[in-house]
Amino acid sequence: MIDRIYSQRVPLPIFPQGEVWLAGAGPGDPGLLTLHALNAIRQADIILYDALVDRSCLYCAKTGAVLEFYGKRGGILSPQQYEITGRLITLARDNRRVLRLKGGDPFVFGRGGDEALALARAQIPFRIIPGITAGIAGPAYAGIPVTSRFYNQSVTFITGHDTSGQLPNNLDWKAIARGAGVLVFYMAMKHIGEIVEALLAAGRDPHDPVAFISNATTENQRVVTTKLFHATQVSSEERVVAPAIVVIGKVVNMISALAWLPKKEG
């Protein structure tokens, strides 16, 4: 029934040969794949997938499709960006249907923009398929809405490191600390101590609630809550590990009423 509705009632595009589609696979739970992403997986001749893409998403690939791992993880030897974009261009010129499958959304701290720009410069046709980003889905799975009319009218999404792996040096910490009711950090665990120190120095309330959400939306999701002034110590004591989303703001308090995932025993 689902397949019939999918194929007959939902108009989805045909994947032409010689094109590259850049698709977001969502933050982990394969159920968060969009129909466009699933459609791309089913048609692709070759799929270059990231480290944060759940392997079960690849089970939908057609028979004979080639799966190539091109993940980039901090501290681990990974393909260089020029190697990835070069591979995409080469495969497209070989008249393949090429799917670049990335965790979350390809245009949210995911280098999707860099890859699309390289394809544009090489005059390779491409399509962008947005995905559900971890900065929204992770908190939602923890029972934290990133916006609430009771607490905040703005939210800021921030990356915890730049292209060199260091904490970005061009962040306006005073504006960040005072400008948004909720802060959502991606890839922040390596520099969490510096981030907490910078926010406190910039005037952020030391008693602001903080949530660490590791392995968001997966069966291994883990949530640790604390206060900002205590966040560095707690993250160390609780051994919070990447990949993790860090949420700072009063919306974190809503977890007490809105946590909906069953708690694991042990």
Side-chain angles (χ1 to χ4, degrees), residues 4 8 27 42 46-48 59 63 65 77 100 110 128 142 154 157 167 203 205-206 226 246 250:
R4 187 169 73 248
Q8 297 178 359
R42 287 181 168 182
I46 184 163
I47 302 174
L48 283 65
Y59 298 158
T63 301
L77 185 62
R100 178 71 168 116
I128 307 300
S154 62
F157 297 95
L167 185 66
D205 182 356
T226 183
V246 183
K250 290 183 173 58

Side-chain angles (χ1 to χ4, degrees), residues 82-165:
Y82 74 88
E83 296 177 291
I84 298 173
T85 53
R87 180 68 171 152
L88 294 174
I89 292 168
T90 297
L91 290 168
R93 286 177 174 165
D94 195 33
N95 214 31
R96 299 295 219 28
R97 299 175 184 88
V98 186
L99 176 61
R100 178 71 168 116
L101 192 61
K102 305 172 75 67
D105 181 283
F107 275 15
V108 181
F109 304 126
R111 292 192 175 96
D114 299 345
E115 294 172 7
L117 185 59
L119 294 169
R121 287 171 174 166
Q123 298 184 325
I124 301 295
F126 63 89
R127 184 186 189 98
I128 307 300
I129 300 174
I132 298 174
T133 184
I136 295 173
Y141 267 51
I144 302 170
V146 294
T147 64
S148 166
R149 65 189 181 91
F150 300 110
Y151 294 120
N152 66 308
Q153 288 70 49
S154 62
V155 56
T156 299
F157 297 95
I158 310 157
T159 179
H161 65 71
D162 58 20
T163 55
S164 69

Side-chain angles (χ1 to χ4, degrees), residues 73-74 158-162 165-168 173 184-196 210-216 222-226 230-248:
R73 298 295 298 272
I158 310 157
T159 179
H161 65 71
D162 58 20
Q166 302 303 310
L167 185 66
W173 287 107
V184 179
F185 284 88
Y186 294 68
M187 301 170 286
M189 296 313 302
K190 180 180 178 182
H191 303 296
I192 191 62
E194 296 172 75
I195 291 170
V196 169
V210 176
F212 296 98
I213 308 164
S214 57
N215 295 304
R222 180 171 178 245
V223 181
V224 174
T225 58
T226 183
H230 204 209
T232 303
Q233 181 179 341
V234 168
S235 67
S236 177
E237 292 175 348
E238 295 291 332
R239 299 182 180 181
V240 179
V241 296
I245 291 292
V246 183
V247 184
I248 302 172

